[in-house]
Amino acid sequence: MNIPYGPILIVEDNPNVRELLEVTLHFKGYPVVAVENGQAALEFIAHEHPALIVTDILMPKMDGFALVHTLRKDPRTTRIPVIFISATYITPEDKAFAMSLGAVRFIEKPIDTEDFLLTVAEVLTQDLAIAPPPLDDLEFYRGYRERLEYKLRHKQMQIARIERLLQTLPEEQRPAFELLRTRTLEDRDQIQSELNQLYRILGEQER
């Protein structure tokens, strides 16, 4: 299968998901490049123009929202179609914000590979509507702050529920929920770190 304008770029920090997407697309004959975060994606795009970007949202260094906002502001990259994938940002408000940035599709994890391949084929073969104009930086940062604050509250509630549950579980059932707690704590800390950075940026912008 030939794609006239470059490879499909996968941007995903989870190595298992990244490999799944890469293998799935390779199996169908697509040229694929996979990177682990938005910063690595920008470095790749600086020297090669992808036909499509498939990106997670919650990632270290530069996440999917910031990546797409950056691409939309640059005339050289503003028309690259983007598919968001996420297990974290899946509320209607999350999806509305993602689409306001100019994404063409939103796929929830866990990924159904058949649906994923259909979506990729549709995006690559259909004439897509012109993306909305990019948000100005202040509008983007405020909208993004709202999404992060909501996610942080949600993670805090999840952690509290897990910790209450751990106090009542028999010993043999605890390891699975302790692992879940560890992963949820990592997600919370990452969201908090990104939120702290946003507060600093907004403080400078709003002076």
Side-chain angles (χ1 to χ4, degrees):
M1 185 178 297
N2 295 319
I3 298 178
Y5 301 113
I8 296 174
L9 177 62
I10 298 168
V11 191
E12 168 63 65
D13 66 314
N14 184 308
N16 294 326
V17 177
R18 189 167 65 241
E19 182 180 10
L20 170 65
L21 297 177
E22 191 172 8
V23 169
T24 298
L25 291 168
H26 269 312
F27 182 73
K28 290 299 182 180
Y30 291 107
V32 183
V33 174
V35 297
E36 66 277 9
N37 58 60
Q39 187 60 53
L42 289 180
E43 292 169 4
F44 173 81
I45 294 166
H47 61 80
E48 187 165 357
H49 195 280
L52 168 67
I53 297 171
V54 179
T55 181
D56 191 17
I57 296 176
L58 187 62
M59 297 180 291
K61 293 190 179 180
M62 176 182 280
D63 68 11
F65 283 153
L67 169 63
V68 175
H69 180 60
T70 301
L71 294 175
R72 290 293 175 254
K73 293 193 298 179
D74 187 336
R76 297 169 297 178
T77 57
T78 190
R79 295 184 63 83
I80 300 174
V82 176
I83 297 173
F84 274 127
I85 54 173
S86 185
T88 303
Y89 289 89
I90 56 175
T91 68
E93 293 81 5
D94 296 333
K95 294 177 183 178
F97 184 63
M99 303 308 282
S100 76
L101 296 176
V104 296
R105 297 287 191 278
F106 192 108
I107 297 175
E108 295 181 21
K109 296 178 184 178
I111 294 168
D112 181 315
T113 55
E114 291 183 359
D115 183 66
F116 171 67
L117 287 170
L118 283 170
T119 300
V120 167
E122 288 171 352
V123 170
L124 289 172
T125 58
Q126 292 178 357
D127 289 330
L128 300 170
I130 297 174
L135 302 178
D136 66 56
D137 285 347
L138 192 56
E139 186 179 5
F140 167 71
Y141 291 133
R142 285 172 174 166
Y144 191 14
R145 178 188 60 192
E146 290 177 3
R147 305 315 327 131
L148 286 173
E149 288 174 339
Y150 175 84
K151 291 303 161 195
L152 185 61
R153 292 193 297 271
H154 181 65
K155 289 297 176 183
Q156 297 283 26
M157 287 189 291
Q158 282 185 324
I159 292 165
R161 290 174 63 193
I162 294 168
E163 290 179 343
R164 285 196 300 269
L165 188 60
L166 282 170
Q167 296 174 11
T168 64
L169 287 174
E171 192 65 32
E172 63 272 15
Q173 293 182 16
R174 291 175 60 88
F177 285 91
E178 287 172 346
L179 179 60
L180 178 60
R181 178 177 60 180
T182 298
R183 291 174 178 169
T184 307
L185 285 167
E186 289 172 353
D187 284 347
R188 182 207 59 189
D189 291 345
Q190 185 174 336
I191 291 168
Q192 183 67 69
S193 175
E194 293 179 5
L195 194 52
N196 290 341
Q197 184 178 358
L198 263 183
Y199 287 146
R200 288 193 296 271
I201 293 170
L202 279 167
E204 294 170 0
Q205 293 259 343
E206 294 174 341
R207 284 176 186 167

